[in-house]
């Protein structure tokens, strides 16, 4: 059963993942313009994109422990998910800049003086080179450096989780749950690898 | 005493005529109770701002007693029982006691006030409130000479207010005004919008409206008013004192630590609504600046 699932996952063409990923912002835009996002579509879209971006990033971090502790292997989706989350967060930023704040001098003022924006911006800037190098050519060119570079994902997600907490207006559980999960996933990496690794299943493992 | 203040915001032609006519009829129908009719166009001052549509005013609310999302109040406030309702007036007053809302209303003149409404989160609306001046209620209770502040309290009823089962804020919600702010003719006890009874999600059956202050000062579903000689605690100030002060006057020059207050997003304008500049004291500078003469508004935020 899991074998068949893993095969299906492995065989999913990445364009399909990108297509599904692109559908969500397109739908948000459509819903926003036609009234489906309520009376304040700008905030609704801004929040939905930030939230979905963070959720996908958390999912990206989950892939490796899932492979380690369960038979499920989502490794072949990881790169596409990472790129999709980057685009959601980029759109989150653009919605904030163009539709929410609107005034360019104000955008700049916020970027340099609001701590929660600075933290979010730092996260986005860390994700940028990762998104740019998410292709086979970069993997080949950078060699072992590629893996090292892409470990920065952990930092970007952590900053995203902190940014989420920093923007709340009063106590709420949800952002803290996210941060706990993120910190937990980072801590999990430090867990000594007591179990034997399952035998590698060919070249697929390298397709990160 | 009603009619101490005249609207400078008016319904202009963009308001759907049917809604407008409808409302006028409601207003006219209540004229016997002393409800003011809409100020004639000629009297309308410089501005022609439209009231935000009823559906927007009633579907986009911050009322954490029902949840923290803007759509939560509209979704969950239906369960709130608002009849019977009374307000306990106590502290430094000559006639303390529980005042039945129906008794209060029988002594008041309800008038319409079209006010700008500016949330501390930098969004805004224009709301046609119906209500009476707080001063008239305070006169009824007989404020004693030593009183300097007015404290307000929202209903605490977690069975009907699901947000109160969560620690979003310390419950019940409390607010306060200086006595001179409370006595200002702009300060309203609102019982309706658009000539309709106050919707639950907007603070039924009776709420405060202080149009020159950020929205959270305009406490909803009031059950208690206390006259005191000390500055009363206020909910958001208790929660995050560095961000929300006692005064919380709308001031485009004093930023919230996390965002600018120089401009605001009018709600209801759709996806591409332009920001508009925020006005000092939310446009009521002429009326209220005198209350704060000599005060450092940056310190007393
Ligand atoms: C590029 C810089 C960024 C800017 C300017 C920015 C701006 C914002 C703003 C303005 C809000 C809403 C605050 C409010 O309504 O009061 C927000 C919320 C949020 N942002 Fe960001 N952000 C940035 C980066 C990020 C990143 C990198 C992530 C995730 C990894 C992220 C995730 C979120 C989340 C989850 C929320 C809360 C959404 C909700 O309440 O459902 N943001 N951000």
């Amino acid at each position: 059963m899991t074998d068949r699932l893993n095969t299906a996952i492995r065989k999913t063409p990445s364009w399909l993942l990108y297509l599904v990923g692109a559908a969500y912002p397109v739908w948000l835009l459509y819903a926003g313009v036609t009234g489906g996002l309520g009376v304040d579509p700008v905030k609704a879209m801004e929040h939905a994109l930030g939230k979905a971006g963070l959720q996908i990033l958390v999912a990206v971090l989950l892939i490796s422990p899932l492979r380690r502790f369960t038979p499920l292997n989502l490794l072949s989706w990881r790169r596409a998910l990472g790129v999709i989350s980057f685009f959601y967060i980029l759109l989150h930023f653009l919605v904030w800049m163009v539709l929410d704040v609107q005034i360019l001098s104000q955008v700049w003022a916020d970027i340099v003086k609001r701590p929660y924006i600075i933290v979010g911006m730092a996260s986005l800037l860390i994700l940028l080179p990762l998104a740019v190098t998410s292709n086979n050519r970069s993997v080949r060119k950078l060699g072992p450096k590629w893996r090292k570079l892409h470990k920065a994902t952990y930092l970007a997600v952590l900053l995203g989780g902190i940014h989420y907490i920093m923007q709340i207006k009063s106590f709420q559980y949800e952002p803290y749950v996210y941060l706990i999960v993120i910190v937990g996933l980072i801590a999990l990496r430090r867990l000594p690898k007591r179990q034997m690794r399952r035998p590698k299943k060919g070249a697929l493992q390298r397709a990160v | 005493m009603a009619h101490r203040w005249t609207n400078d915001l008016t319904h202009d032609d963009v308001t759907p005529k049917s809604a407008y006519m409808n409302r006028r009829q409601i207003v006219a129908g209540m004229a016997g109770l002393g409800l003011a009719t809409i100020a004639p166009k000629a009297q309308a001052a410089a501005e022609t701002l439209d009231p935000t549509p009823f559906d927007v005013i009633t579907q986009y609310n911050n009322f954490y007693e029902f949840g923290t999302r803007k759509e939560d109040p509209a979704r969950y406030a239906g369960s709130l029982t608002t009849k019977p309702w009374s307000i306990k007036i106590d502290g430094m007053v000559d006639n303390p006691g529980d005042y039945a809302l129906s008794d209060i209303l029988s002594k008041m003149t309800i008038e319409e006030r079209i006010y700008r409404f500016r949330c501390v989160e930098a969004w805004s609306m224009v709301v046609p409130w119906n209500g009476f001046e707080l001063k008239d209620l305070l006169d009824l209770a007989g404020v004693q000479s030593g009183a300097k502040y007015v404290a307000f309290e929202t209903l605490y009823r977690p069975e009907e207010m699901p947000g109160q089962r969560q620690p979003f804020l310390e419950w019940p919600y409390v607010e306060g005004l200086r006595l001179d702010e409370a006595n200002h003719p702009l300060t309203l006890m609102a019982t309706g919008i658009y000539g309709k009874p106050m919707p639950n999600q907007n603070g039924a059956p009776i709420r405060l409206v202080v149009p020159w202050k950020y929205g959270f000062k305009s406490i909803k579903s009031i059950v208690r008013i206390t006259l005191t000689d000390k500055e009363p605690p206020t909910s958001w100030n208790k929660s995050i004192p560095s961000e929300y002060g006692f005064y919380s006057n709308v001031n485009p020059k004093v930023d919230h630590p996390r965002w600018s207050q120089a401009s605001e997003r009018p709600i209801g304008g759709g996806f591409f609504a332009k920001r508009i500049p925020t006005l000092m004291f939310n446009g009521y500078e002429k009326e209220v600046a005198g209350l704060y003469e000599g005060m450092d508004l940056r310190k007393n935020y």
Side-chain angles (χ1 to χ4, degrees), chain A residues 29 32 39-43 45 99-103 106 113-114 116 166-173, chain B residues 56 60 64 68 121 166-168 236 240 255-260 265 267-268 270-275:
Chain A
L29 188 68
V39 298
D40 189 8
V42 172
K43 274 286 159 192
M45 188 163 182
L99 298 177
D100 182 349
V101 181
Q102 299 173 10
I103 305 150
Q106 194 58 61
K113 76 175 179 197
R114 315 274 175 215
Y116 86 99
M166 289 173 84
Q167 61 86 45
I168 50 174
K169 311 248 160 48
S170 73
F171 178 79
Q172 278 163 40
Y173 293 108
Chain B
V56 175
Y60 192 86
Y64 278 22
T68 55
E121 297 168 343
Q166 307 278 338
F168 301 139
W236 279 100
I240 320 180
D255 283 357
H256 184 279
R258 286 184 282 164
W259 56 85
S260 162
R265 292 179 315 114
I267 300 297
F271 212 61
F272 302 103
K274 278 265 153 296
R275 269 184 186 258

Side-chain angles (χ1 to χ4, degrees), chain A residues 43-44 46-55 57 85 89-90 92-94 96-97 100-101 111 116-125 127 156-161 163-165 167-169 172 174 178, chain B residues 121 258-259:
Chain A
K43 274 286 159 192
E46 182 180 283
H47 283 215
L49 287 165
K51 192 74 157 289
L54 187 62
Q55 282 166 344
L57 280 175
S85 71
I89 292 160
L90 186 66
H92 170 68
F93 168 68
L94 289 174
W96 172 75
M97 188 168 88
D100 182 349
V101 181
I111 289 177
Y116 86 99
I117 301 283
I118 295 172
V119 169
M121 201 68 199
S123 174
L124 183 69
L125 288 178
L127 290 172
V157 183
L158 182 65
L159 291 174
H163 162 81
Y164 185 15
I165 288 183
Q167 61 86 45
I168 50 174
K169 311 248 160 48
Q172 278 163 40
E174 206 179 336
Y178 275 84
Chain B
E121 297 168 343
R258 286 184 282 164
W259 56 85

Side-chain angles (χ1 to χ4, degrees), chain B residues 12-63:
Chain B
D12 88 356
D13 305 333
V14 187
T15 308
K17 183 114 188 219
S18 58
Y20 180 82
M21 291 307 288
N22 228 337
R23 219 172 54 71
R24 276 211 87 145
Q25 279 160 14
I26 295 164
V27 170
M30 291 168 81
L33 300 172
L35 194 70
T37 42
I38 297 151
K41 279 254 144 99
Q43 224 178 298
E47 250 176 312
T48 48
L49 268 182
D50 298 323
T52 306
F54 181 82
D55 286 348
V56 175
I57 297 173
T58 54
Q59 284 172 38
Y60 192 86
N61 310 94
N62 276 329
F63 196 173

